[in-house]
Amino acid sequence: MSDTSFVRREMLDAQAPPPSQVGIIGWIRENLFSGWFNSILTLSSIYVVYWILASVLPWVLQSSWTATSLNECREQIAAAYGEGTSGACWAVIRERYLQLIYGFYPSELYWRPNLAFILMIFALAPVLYPNVPRKMLWFSGLYPFIAGWLLWGGTIWTPIAIVAGFAVGYGLFRVLIDRFGSLAAVIAAVLGTVLWWLLLAGPVAATLASTIPIGLTPVESRQFGGFMLSIIIGVTGIGASLPLGIVLALGRQSDLMILKSLSVGFIEFIRGVPLITLLFVASTLLNIFMPPGTNFDIILRVVIMVTLFASAYIAEVVRGGLAALPRGQYEAADALGLDYWKSMRLIILPQALKISIPGIVSTFIGLFKDTTLVSIIGLLDPIGFSNAIRANAEWQGIVWELYAFIALMFFIFCFFMSRYSMSLERRLQTGHN
């Protein structure tokens, strides 16, 4: 008698999935050849990649690393790979890479920018990674003054006097906040700090330097150049523009008419002017408004303009994050009895900054790449040095090798910034589930 029951009487063993649906074959089938249109795109892309590699790789590999001029480089390539062979002359990188990195910085003092770069990594670690002890944040705050002293040299009392200005401002804030309120205390603290820097920091540093002479060999700003200059401008601009941009965003959202008008006017003016115009102002016009005899360092002027330019864009990105928050978050902060600053610090800004991470990092990447514009005002960044190298009779006519090296270095920095942004978004779970 045949069994016609509809109830399973025995369990079947699990079967392995078809080989075409799993592993590398399954991934290729699903992502590259899932249909006739995707198959055509995949084959076309493979052909384009093959054509590019077939054109570029011989030029990259059939090269010379030991020549001392462009003509000698071409002779070596022709002797090694045959007449008419086109190859890269990487010898220019081997011969001039120190200038591309350090500019005209004295070679016997290379340890100073190297040490400043290593210390920068330690200073950024507690800011970028939560597993690093928070106690290291004090070093992050002091690092800009340590790095400035290492790079420019001079007496150690100058950065100490600058740091003392912040101590003066903080002391005024603590003394006045209970008597006159937070706004008056902040204004007094800012004015006290600025007056200390303008009137007292220089004489105090000079007096201490004459009494206890401790310092490093001074290096003039005109000796800075190459990637070192790009990193100085880029990192300083990034580090200073973020807090300034947050303050501007909060000012634009403020109910105080004067504060809001100043913030809106600053943001719209800066965003309406090209960066190269601001750099020309920094290099030529800014000294006109300074007192006679004032020596305002050109790199400092450029850093200030780059910071102001980036802060306006950061302010708009942060404002977008603030506008994206539901109104209920503000009402919840009010319901908890938090004042304005506590609600912003504990509830509003953390969420707004999470939302704004992609835009902030994109602005930072653009800022770092825009540091090459300083070559137009006479500073020898990597692009400026490449022009100087090509003007040399020995390397006149060489182009792609220098630009390829510069592009690779910028790609490395920008790639790591982009990857960090993605990891930060995953860690903070910025996206909506």
Coordinates of all heavy atoms in Angstrom, one line a residue, residues 118-197:
I118 N 55.7 63.4 14.2 CA 55.5 62.2 15.1 C 54.6 62.7 16.3 O 53.7 62.0 16.7 CB 56.8 61.6 15.6 CG1 57.5 61.0 14.4 CG2 56.6 60.6 16.7 CD1 59.0 60.5 14.7
L119 N 54.9 63.8 16.9 CA 54.1 64.3 18.0 C 52.7 64.6 17.6 O 51.8 64.5 18.4 CB 54.8 65.6 18.6 CG 56.2 65.3 19.3 CD1 56.7 66.7 19.8 CD2 56.0 64.3 20.5
M120 N 52.5 65.0 16.3 CA 51.2 65.3 15.8 C 50.3 64.1 15.9 O 49.1 64.1 16.2 CB 51.3 65.9 14.4 CG 49.9 66.2 13.8 SD 50.0 66.7 12.1 CE 50.4 65.1 11.3
I121 N 50.9 62.9 15.5 CA 50.2 61.7 15.6 C 49.7 61.4 17.0 O 48.6 61.0 17.3 CB 51.0 60.5 15.1 CG1 51.4 60.8 13.6 CG2 50.3 59.2 15.2 CD1 52.3 59.8 13.0
F122 N 50.6 61.6 18.0 CA 50.2 61.4 19.4 C 49.2 62.4 19.9 O 48.3 62.1 20.7 CB 51.5 61.5 20.3 CG 52.4 60.3 20.2 CD1 53.5 60.3 19.4 CD2 52.1 59.1 20.9 CE1 54.3 59.1 19.3 CE2 52.9 58.0 20.9 CZ 54.0 58.0 20.1
A123 N 49.3 63.6 19.3 CA 48.3 64.7 19.7 C 46.9 64.4 19.1 O 45.9 64.7 19.8 CB 48.8 66.0 19.3
L124 N 46.9 63.8 17.9 CA 45.6 63.5 17.3 C 44.9 62.3 17.8 O 43.7 62.1 17.7 CB 45.8 63.4 15.8 CG 46.1 64.7 15.0 CD1 46.3 64.4 13.6 CD2 45.0 65.7 15.2
A125 N 45.7 61.3 18.4 CA 45.2 60.0 18.8 C 44.1 60.2 19.8 O 43.0 59.6 19.6 CB 46.4 59.2 19.4
P126 N 44.2 60.9 20.9 CA 43.0 61.0 21.8 C 41.8 61.7 21.3 O 40.7 61.6 21.8 CB 43.6 61.8 23.0 CG 44.8 62.6 22.5 CD 45.3 61.7 21.4
V127 N 42.0 62.5 20.2 CA 40.9 63.3 19.6 C 40.2 62.3 18.6 O 38.9 62.4 18.6 CB 41.4 64.5 18.9 CG1 40.3 65.2 18.2 CG2 42.1 65.4 19.8
L128 N 40.9 61.5 17.9 CA 40.3 60.7 16.9 C 39.8 59.3 17.3 O 38.9 58.7 16.8 CB 41.3 60.5 15.7 CG 41.8 61.8 15.0 CD1 42.7 61.4 13.9 CD2 40.6 62.6 14.5
Y129 N 40.4 58.8 18.4 CA 40.1 57.4 18.8 C 39.7 57.3 20.2 O 40.4 57.8 21.1 CB 41.4 56.5 18.6 CG 41.8 56.5 17.1 CD1 42.9 57.2 16.7 CD2 41.1 55.7 16.2 CE1 43.3 57.2 15.4 CE2 41.5 55.7 14.8 CZ 42.6 56.4 14.4 OH 43.0 56.4 13.1
P130 N 38.6 56.7 20.5 CA 38.1 56.7 21.9 C 38.8 55.8 22.9 O 38.7 56.0 24.1 CB 36.6 56.2 21.7 CG 36.7 55.4 20.5 CD 37.7 56.0 19.6
N131 N 39.6 54.9 22.3 CA 40.3 53.9 23.2 C 41.6 54.6 23.8 O 42.1 54.0 24.8 CB 40.7 52.7 22.5 CG 39.5 51.9 22.0 OD1 38.4 51.9 22.6 ND2 39.6 51.2 20.9
V132 N 42.0 55.7 23.3 CA 43.2 56.4 23.8 C 42.8 57.1 25.1 O 41.8 57.7 25.2 CB 43.8 57.3 22.8 CG1 45.0 58.1 23.3 CG2 44.1 56.6 21.5
P133 N 43.6 57.0 26.1 CA 43.3 57.7 27.4 C 43.0 59.2 27.2 O 43.7 59.9 26.5 CB 44.5 57.5 28.3 CG 45.2 56.2 27.7 CD 44.9 56.3 26.3
R134 N 41.9 59.6 27.9 CA 41.5 61.0 27.8 C 42.5 62.0 28.4 O 42.5 63.2 28.1 CB 40.1 61.2 28.4 CG 39.0 60.4 27.9 CD 38.6 60.9 26.5 NE 39.3 60.2 25.4 CZ 39.2 60.5 24.1 NH1 38.4 61.5 23.8 NH2 39.8 59.8 23.2
K135 N 43.4 61.4 29.3 CA 44.3 62.3 29.9 C 45.3 62.9 28.9 O 46.0 63.9 29.2 CB 45.1 61.5 31.0 CG 44.2 61.0 32.2 CD 45.1 60.2 33.2 CE 44.2 59.8 34.3 NZ 45.0 59.0 35.3
M136 N 45.4 62.3 27.7 CA 46.4 62.8 26.7 C 45.8 64.0 26.0 O 46.5 64.7 25.3 CB 46.7 61.7 25.7 CG 47.6 60.6 26.2 SD 48.1 59.5 24.9 CE 48.9 60.6 23.8
L137 N 44.6 64.4 26.3 CA 44.0 65.6 25.7 C 44.8 66.9 26.1 O 44.8 67.8 25.3 CB 42.6 65.8 26.1 CG 41.6 64.8 25.3 CD1 40.2 64.9 25.9 CD2 41.6 65.1 23.8
W138 N 45.4 66.9 27.3 CA 46.2 68.1 27.6 C 47.4 68.2 26.7 O 47.7 69.4 26.3 CB 46.7 67.9 29.1 CG 47.7 66.9 29.3 CD1 47.5 65.6 29.6 CD2 49.1 67.0 29.1 NE1 48.6 64.8 29.7 CE2 49.7 65.7 29.4 CE3 50.0 68.0 28.7 CZ2 51.0 65.4 29.3 CZ3 51.3 67.7 28.6 CH2 51.8 66.5 28.9
F139 N 47.9 67.1 26.2 CA 49.0 67.2 25.3 C 48.5 67.7 23.9 O 49.2 68.5 23.2 CB 49.7 65.9 25.1 CG 50.8 65.9 24.1 CD1 52.0 66.5 24.3 CD2 50.6 65.2 22.9 CE1 53.0 66.5 23.4 CE2 51.6 65.3 21.9 CZ 52.8 65.9 22.2
S140 N 47.3 67.3 23.5 CA 46.7 67.7 22.3 C 46.5 69.3 22.3 O 46.7 69.9 21.3 CB 45.3 67.1 22.1 OG 45.5 65.6 22.0
G141 N 46.1 69.8 23.5 CA 46.0 71.3 23.6 C 47.3 72.0 23.5 O 47.4 73.1 22.9
L142 N 48.4 71.4 24.0 CA 49.7 72.1 24.0 C 50.4 71.9 22.7 O 51.4 72.6 22.4 CB 50.5 71.6 25.2 CG 50.1 72.0 26.6 CD1 51.0 71.3 27.6 CD2 50.0 73.5 26.8
Y143 N 50.0 70.9 21.9 CA 50.8 70.5 20.7 C 51.0 71.6 19.8 O 52.1 71.8 19.2 CB 50.2 69.3 20.0 CG 50.8 69.1 18.7 CD1 52.1 68.4 18.6 CD2 50.2 69.5 17.5 CE1 52.7 68.2 17.4 CE2 50.9 69.3 16.3 CZ 52.1 68.6 16.2 OH 52.7 68.4 15.0
P144 N 50.0 72.5 19.4 CA 50.3 73.5 18.5 C 51.4 74.5 18.8 O 52.2 74.9 18.0 CB 48.9 74.3 18.4 CG 47.9 73.3 18.8 CD 48.6 72.4 19.8
F145 N 51.6 74.7 20.1 CA 52.6 75.6 20.6 C 54.0 74.9 20.6 O 55.0 75.5 20.2 CB 52.3 76.1 22.0 CG 50.9 76.7 22.1 CD1 49.9 75.9 22.7 CD2 50.7 78.0 21.7 CE1 48.6 76.5 22.8 CE2 49.4 78.5 21.8 CZ 48.4 77.7 22.3
I146 N 54.0 73.6 20.9 CA 55.2 72.8 20.8 C 55.7 72.7 19.4 O 56.8 72.9 19.0 CB 55.0 71.4 21.4 CG1 54.6 71.5 22.9 CG2 56.2 70.5 21.3 CD1 54.2 70.2 23.6
A147 N 54.7 72.4 18.5 CA 55.1 72.2 17.1 C 55.6 73.5 16.5 O 56.6 73.6 15.7 CB 53.9 71.7 16.3
G148 N 54.9 74.7 16.8 CA 55.4 75.9 16.3 C 56.8 76.3 16.8 O 57.6 76.8 16.0
W149 N 57.1 76.0 18.0 CA 58.4 76.2 18.5 C 59.5 75.3 17.8 O 60.6 75.7 17.5 CB 58.5 76.0 20.0 CG 59.8 76.2 20.6 CD1 60.6 77.3 20.6 CD2 60.6 75.2 21.4 NE1 61.8 77.1 21.3 CE2 61.8 75.8 21.7 CE3 60.3 73.9 21.7 CZ2 62.8 75.2 22.5 CZ3 61.3 73.2 22.5 CH2 62.5 73.9 22.8
L150 N 59.1 74.0 17.6 CA 60.0 73.1 16.9 C 60.3 73.6 15.5 O 61.4 73.5 15.0 CB 59.5 71.7 16.9 CG 59.5 70.9 18.2 CD1 58.8 69.6 18.1 CD2 61.0 70.6 18.6
L151 N 59.3 74.0 14.8 CA 59.4 74.3 13.4 C 60.1 75.6 13.2 O 61.0 75.7 12.3 CB 58.1 74.3 12.7 CG 57.3 73.0 12.6 CD1 55.9 73.1 12.1 CD2 58.1 72.0 11.7
W152 N 59.7 76.7 13.9 CA 60.3 78.0 13.7 C 61.5 78.3 14.6 O 62.3 79.1 14.3 CB 59.2 79.1 13.9 CG 58.4 79.3 12.6 CD1 58.7 80.2 11.6 CD2 57.2 78.7 12.3 NE1 57.7 80.1 10.7 CE2 56.8 79.2 11.1 CE3 56.4 77.7 12.9 CZ2 55.6 78.8 10.4 CZ3 55.2 77.3 12.3 CH2 54.8 77.9 11.1
G153 N 61.6 77.6 15.7 CA 62.7 77.8 16.6 C 62.5 79.1 17.4 O 61.4 79.6 17.6
G154 N 63.6 79.6 17.8 CA 63.6 80.8 18.7 C 63.5 80.4 20.1 O 63.7 79.3 20.5
T155 N 63.3 81.4 21.0 CA 63.2 81.2 22.4 C 62.0 80.4 22.8 O 60.9 80.6 22.2 CB 63.2 82.6 23.1 OG1 63.1 82.3 24.5 CG2 62.1 83.5 22.7
I156 N 62.1 79.6 23.8 CA 61.0 78.8 24.3 C 60.0 79.6 25.0 O 58.8 79.2 25.2 CB 61.5 77.7 25.2 CG1 60.4 76.6 25.4 CG2 62.0 78.2 26.5 CD1 60.9 75.4 26.2
W157 N 60.4 80.9 25.4 CA 59.5 81.7 26.2 C 58.3 82.3 25.4 O 57.3 82.7 25.9 CB 60.3 82.8 26.9 CG 61.3 82.2 27.8 CD1 62.6 82.3 27.7 CD2 61.1 81.5 29.1 NE1 63.3 81.7 28.7 CE2 62.3 81.2 29.6 CE3 59.9 81.1 29.7 CZ2 62.5 80.5 30.8 CZ3 60.0 80.4 30.9 CH2 61.3 80.1 31.4
T158 N 58.5 82.4 24.0 CA 57.4 82.9 23.2 C 56.2 82.0 23.2 O 55.1 82.5 23.5 CB 57.9 83.1 21.8 OG1 59.0 84.0 21.8 CG2 56.8 83.6 20.9
P159 N 56.3 80.7 23.0 CA 55.1 79.9 23.1 C 54.5 79.8 24.5 O 53.3 79.8 24.7 CB 55.5 78.5 22.6 CG 57.0 78.5 22.7 CD 57.4 79.9 22.5
I160 N 55.4 79.9 25.5 CA 54.9 79.9 26.9 C 54.1 81.2 27.2 O 53.1 81.1 27.8 CB 56.1 79.7 27.9 CG1 56.7 78.3 27.7 CG2 55.7 80.0 29.3 CD1 57.9 78.1 28.6
A161 N 54.6 82.3 26.7 CA 53.9 83.5 26.9 C 52.5 83.5 26.2 O 51.5 84.0 26.7 CB 54.7 84.7 26.4
I162 N 52.4 82.8 25.0 CA 51.2 82.7 24.3 C 50.2 81.8 25.1 O 49.0 82.2 25.2 CB 51.4 82.1 22.9 CG1 52.2 83.1 22.0 CG2 50.1 81.9 22.2 CD1 52.6 82.6 20.7
V163 N 50.7 80.7 25.6 CA 49.9 79.9 26.4 C 49.4 80.6 27.7 O 48.2 80.4 28.1 CB 50.6 78.6 26.8 CG1 49.8 77.7 27.8 CG2 50.9 77.8 25.6
A164 N 50.2 81.5 28.2 CA 49.8 82.2 29.4 C 48.7 83.1 29.1 O 47.9 83.4 30.0 CB 51.0 83.1 29.9
G165 N 48.5 83.6 27.8 CA 47.3 84.4 27.5 C 46.0 83.6 27.7 O 45.0 84.2 28.1
F166 N 46.0 82.4 27.4 CA 44.8 81.6 27.6 C 44.5 81.5 29.1 O 43.4 81.5 29.6 CB 44.9 80.2 27.0 CG 44.9 80.2 25.5 CD1 46.1 80.1 24.8 CD2 43.7 80.3 24.8 CE1 46.1 80.1 23.4 CE2 43.7 80.3 23.4 CZ 44.9 80.2 22.7
A167 N 45.6 81.3 29.9 CA 45.4 81.3 31.4 C 44.9 82.6 31.9 O 44.0 82.6 32.8 CB 46.8 80.9 32.0
V168 N 45.3 83.7 31.3 CA 44.8 85.0 31.8 C 43.3 85.1 31.4 O 42.5 85.5 32.2 CB 45.5 86.1 31.1 CG1 44.8 87.5 31.3 CG2 47.0 86.2 31.6
G169 N 42.9 84.7 30.2 CA 41.5 84.7 29.8 C 40.7 83.8 30.7 O 39.5 84.2 31.1
Y170 N 41.2 82.6 31.0 CA 40.4 81.7 31.8 C 40.2 82.2 33.2 O 39.1 82.1 33.8 CB 41.1 80.3 31.9 CG 40.4 79.3 32.7 CD1 39.2 78.7 32.3 CD2 40.9 79.0 34.0 CE1 38.5 77.8 33.1 CE2 40.2 78.0 34.8 CZ 39.0 77.4 34.3 OH 38.4 76.5 35.1
G171 N 41.3 82.8 33.8 CA 41.2 83.4 35.1 C 40.1 84.5 35.1 O 39.3 84.6 36.1
L172 N 40.1 85.4 34.1 CA 39.1 86.5 34.1 C 37.7 85.9 34.0 O 36.8 86.4 34.6 CB 39.4 87.4 32.9 CG 40.6 88.3 33.0 CD1 40.8 89.0 31.6 CD2 40.4 89.3 34.1
F173 N 37.5 84.8 33.2 CA 36.2 84.2 33.1 C 35.7 83.7 34.4 O 34.6 83.9 34.8 CB 36.3 83.1 32.0 CG 35.0 82.3 31.8 CD1 34.0 82.8 31.1 CD2 34.8 81.1 32.5 CE1 32.8 82.2 30.9 CE2 33.7 80.4 32.3 CZ 32.6 80.9 31.5
R174 N 36.6 83.0 35.1 CA 36.2 82.4 36.4 C 35.9 83.5 37.4 O 35.0 83.3 38.3 CB 37.3 81.5 36.9 CG 37.6 80.3 36.1 CD 36.4 79.4 35.9 NE 36.0 78.9 37.2 CZ 34.9 78.1 37.3 NH1 34.2 77.8 36.3 NH2 34.6 77.6 38.5
V175 N 36.6 84.6 37.4 CA 36.4 85.7 38.4 C 35.1 86.4 38.1 O 34.3 86.8 39.0 CB 37.6 86.6 38.4 CG1 37.2 87.9 39.2 CG2 38.8 85.9 38.9
L176 N 34.7 86.6 36.8 CA 33.6 87.5 36.4 C 32.3 86.8 36.2 O 31.3 87.4 36.1 CB 34.0 88.3 35.2 CG 35.2 89.2 35.3 CD1 35.5 89.9 34.0 CD2 35.0 90.2 36.4
I177 N 32.3 85.4 36.0 CA 31.1 84.8 35.6 C 30.0 84.8 36.7 O 28.8 85.0 36.3 CB 31.4 83.3 35.2 CG1 30.1 82.6 34.7 CG2 32.0 82.5 36.4 CD1 30.4 81.2 34.1
D178 N 30.4 84.7 37.9 CA 29.4 84.8 39.0 C 28.8 86.2 39.2 O 27.7 86.4 39.6 CB 29.9 84.2 40.3 CG 30.3 82.7 40.2 OD1 29.6 82.0 39.4 OD2 31.2 82.3 40.9
R179 N 29.6 87.2 38.9 CA 29.2 88.5 39.2 C 28.5 89.2 38.1 O 27.5 89.9 38.3 CB 30.5 89.4 39.6 CG 30.2 90.8 40.0 CD 31.4 91.5 40.4 NE 32.0 90.9 41.6 CZ 33.2 91.3 42.2 NH1 33.8 92.4 41.7 NH2 33.6 90.7 43.2
F180 N 28.9 89.0 36.8 CA 28.4 89.7 35.7 C 27.7 88.8 34.7 O 27.2 89.3 33.7 CB 29.5 90.4 35.0 CG 30.1 91.5 35.8 CD1 31.4 91.3 36.4 CD2 29.5 92.7 36.1 CE1 32.0 92.2 37.2 CE2 30.1 93.7 36.9 CZ 31.4 93.4 37.4
G181 N 27.7 87.5 34.9 CA 27.0 86.6 33.9 C 28.0 86.0 32.9 O 29.1 86.5 32.7
S182 N 27.6 85.0 32.2 CA 28.5 84.2 31.3 C 28.9 85.1 30.1 O 30.0 85.0 29.6 CB 27.8 82.9 30.8 OG 26.5 83.2 30.2
L183 N 27.9 85.8 29.5 CA 28.2 86.6 28.3 C 29.3 87.7 28.5 O 30.3 87.8 27.8 CB 27.0 87.3 27.7 CG 27.2 88.1 26.4 CD1 27.7 87.2 25.3 CD2 25.9 88.7 26.0
A184 N 29.1 88.4 29.6 CA 30.1 89.4 30.0 C 31.5 88.8 30.3 O 32.5 89.3 30.0 CB 29.6 90.3 31.1
A185 N 31.4 87.6 31.0 CA 32.7 87.0 31.4 C 33.4 86.5 30.1 O 34.6 86.6 30.0 CB 32.4 85.8 32.3
V186 N 32.7 86.0 29.1 CA 33.3 85.5 27.9 C 33.9 86.7 27.2 O 35.1 86.6 26.7 CB 32.3 84.8 27.0 CG1 32.9 84.5 25.6 CG2 31.9 83.5 27.6
I187 N 33.2 87.8 27.1 CA 33.8 89.0 26.4 C 35.0 89.5 27.1 O 36.0 89.8 26.4 CB 32.7 90.1 26.3 CG1 31.5 89.6 25.4 CG2 33.3 91.4 25.7 CD1 30.4 90.6 25.4
A188 N 35.0 89.6 28.4 CA 36.1 90.0 29.2 C 37.3 89.1 29.0 O 38.5 89.5 28.9 CB 35.8 90.2 30.6
A189 N 37.0 87.8 29.0 CA 38.1 86.8 28.8 C 38.8 86.9 27.5 O 40.0 86.9 27.3 CB 37.5 85.4 29.0
V190 N 38.0 87.1 26.4 CA 38.5 87.2 25.1 C 39.4 88.5 25.0 O 40.5 88.5 24.4 CB 37.4 87.2 24.0 CG1 38.0 87.6 22.6 CG2 36.7 85.9 24.0
L191 N 38.8 89.6 25.5 CA 39.6 90.9 25.4 C 40.9 90.8 26.2 O 41.9 91.3 25.8 CB 38.7 92.0 25.9 CG 37.5 92.4 25.0 CD1 36.7 93.5 25.7 CD2 38.0 92.9 23.7
G192 N 40.8 90.2 27.4 CA 42.0 90.1 28.2 C 43.1 89.2 27.5 O 44.3 89.6 27.6
T193 N 42.6 88.1 26.9 CA 43.6 87.3 26.2 C 44.3 88.1 25.0 O 45.5 88.0 24.9 CB 42.9 86.0 25.7 OG1 42.3 85.3 26.8 CG2 43.9 85.1 24.9
V194 N 43.4 88.8 24.2 CA 44.0 89.5 23.1 C 44.9 90.6 23.5 O 46.0 90.8 23.0 CB 42.8 90.0 22.2 CG1 43.4 91.0 21.1 CG2 42.0 88.9 21.6
L195 N 44.5 91.3 24.6 CA 45.4 92.4 25.1 C 46.7 91.9 25.6 O 47.8 92.5 25.5 CB 44.6 93.2 26.2 CG 43.5 94.1 25.7 CD1 42.8 94.7 26.9 CD2 44.0 95.1 24.7
W196 N 46.7 90.7 26.3 CA 47.9 90.1 26.7 C 48.8 89.8 25.6 O 50.0 90.1 25.6 CB 47.6 88.9 27.5 CG 48.8 88.0 27.8 CD1 49.3 87.0 27.1 CD2 49.7 88.1 29.0 NE1 50.4 86.5 27.6 CE2 50.7 87.1 28.8 CE3 49.7 88.9 30.1 CZ2 51.7 87.0 29.7 CZ3 50.7 88.8 31.0 CH2 51.7 87.8 30.9
W197 N 48.3 89.2 24.5 CA 49.1 88.9 23.4 C 49.6 90.1 22.7 O 50.8 90.1 22.3 CB 48.3 88.1 22.4 CG 48.0 86.7 22.8 CD1 48.6 85.9 23.8 CD2 46.9 85.8 22.3 NE1 48.1 84.7 23.9 CE2 47.0 84.6 23.0 CE3 45.9 85.9 21.4 CZ2 46.1 83.5 22.8 CZ3 45.0 84.9 21.2 CH2 45.2 83.7 21.9

